[in-house]
Amino acid sequence: CLSHDIVTHELGHAVLDGLKPYYNEVSSVETAGFHEYFGDALALASSLTFRDVLAKVVGSAPRRLTKELIGKIGQEFGSAHDGDTGYLRAAFERRTMPEVAGNYEEHDYSQVLTNAFYEFLARLYEDRMKKERPKSGKTGLDGGVAVAALVNAADQASRTFFRALDYCPPVDITYLDYARAVIQADRIAYPSDEIGARKLLSELFVERGVVADVK
């Protein structure tokens, strides 16, 4: 009850129940996996609203996100449950649809989408950091620049993936449905796609075998 990730994940189930109540009717492993993904993605995004977490993640202004902090979900609970890994699930571990085929454990299935969310967030952060230059007389970037880049990336990733719920079916969601909804929601919100977000999203979904192609 003292683990932020656990509390936020379980709250995510309640939020999704309110938005899409029939997703609680487990009609397929993908519907069940989507529920678990939503909780994990919400926990990941929520962790980046804390100043201390942000400072620890990008304190030295890295050009890339490390996997050691925000990518590990449920560290407190995981450490108590399994001392070998120290976390419940890793958002940075890529899972593909072929890899989970025949696996009916919803938490394993959820990692396909959780990793897509994490990778989108990480790539947005990296793209923002590539555009930054050290201030005059400095050899490295200021930590505040990196924090701002991460906050903006987390905000965009959350809006992109969570907004898609409005475009999803009311029952029996599949990962293909969700991928199409994410792309469509972003297309409506940002018709010009100046930063190439939809191209990146398409690549992420294709690489994980969610769809053969997304246009």
Side-chain angles (χ1 to χ4, degrees):
C1 69
L2 298 180
S3 170
H4 171 270
D5 287 352
I6 299 297
V7 172
T8 310
H9 173 98
E10 298 305 328
L11 176 62
H13 285 306
V15 170
L16 189 55
D17 283 343
L19 295 171
K20 300 286 185 179
Y22 290 111
Y23 287 7
N24 203 32
E25 301 292 333
V26 181
S27 52
S28 70
V29 67
E30 290 188 40
T31 302
F34 185 85
H35 236 291
E36 298 302 330
Y37 143 73
F38 187 83
D40 280 354
L42 192 63
L44 197 162
S46 179
S47 70
L48 294 176
T49 64
F50 291 96
R51 184 185 300 272
D52 290 346
V53 174
L54 290 166
K56 189 170 183 179
V57 173
V58 295
S60 58
R63 294 286 181 174
R64 290 188 163 194
L65 291 181
T66 67
K67 300 176 179 180
E68 298 305 315
L69 190 59
I70 62 170
K72 293 181 178 180
I73 299 173
Q75 291 189 63
E76 299 97 336
F77 188 87
S79 296
H81 183 263
D82 184 356
D84 292 335
T85 60
Y87 52 88
L88 282 180
R89 287 179 292 281
F92 52 79
E93 289 181 357
R94 181 186 296 187
R95 288 286 182 90
T96 66
M97 296 299 281
E99 289 175 351
V100 298
N103 183 344
Y104 296 98
E105 211 295 313
E106 61 266 28
H107 296 91
D108 291 340
Y109 228 87
S110 71
Q111 290 190 266
V112 175
L113 292 180
T114 302
N115 176 249
F117 179 90
Y118 176 85
E119 188 64 25
F120 186 66
L121 164 64
R123 293 278 289 276
L124 290 176
Y125 170 77
E126 291 168 16
D127 288 344
R128 283 166 169 73
M129 291 299 285
K130 286 177 183 177
K131 301 174 184 177
E132 298 293 344
R133 296 289 182 271
K135 293 181 180 180
S136 178
K138 301 287 185 178
T139 58
L141 292 175
D142 180 83
V145 171
V147 167
L150 183 54
V151 169
N152 290 334
D155 181 60
Q156 182 177 348
S158 298
R159 284 186 285 107
T160 299
F161 277 78
F162 297 154
R163 184 192 299 119
L165 280 172
D166 290 338
Y167 299 81
C168 290
V171 67
D172 194 28
I173 188 172
T174 67
Y175 284 11
L176 176 58
D177 291 332
Y178 185 60
R180 288 172 171 169
V182 170
I183 297 295
Q184 181 65 8
D186 191 76
R187 181 179 289 115
I188 292 173
Y190 304 100
S192 63
D193 192 26
E194 297 178 357
I195 66 172
R198 283 194 292 281
K199 181 178 183 296
L200 173 56
L201 288 166
S202 298
E203 291 173 353
L204 293 175
F205 287 131
V206 170
E207 288 170 359
R208 284 150 188 80
V210 176
V211 294
D213 191 17
V214 181
K215 296 182 179 179

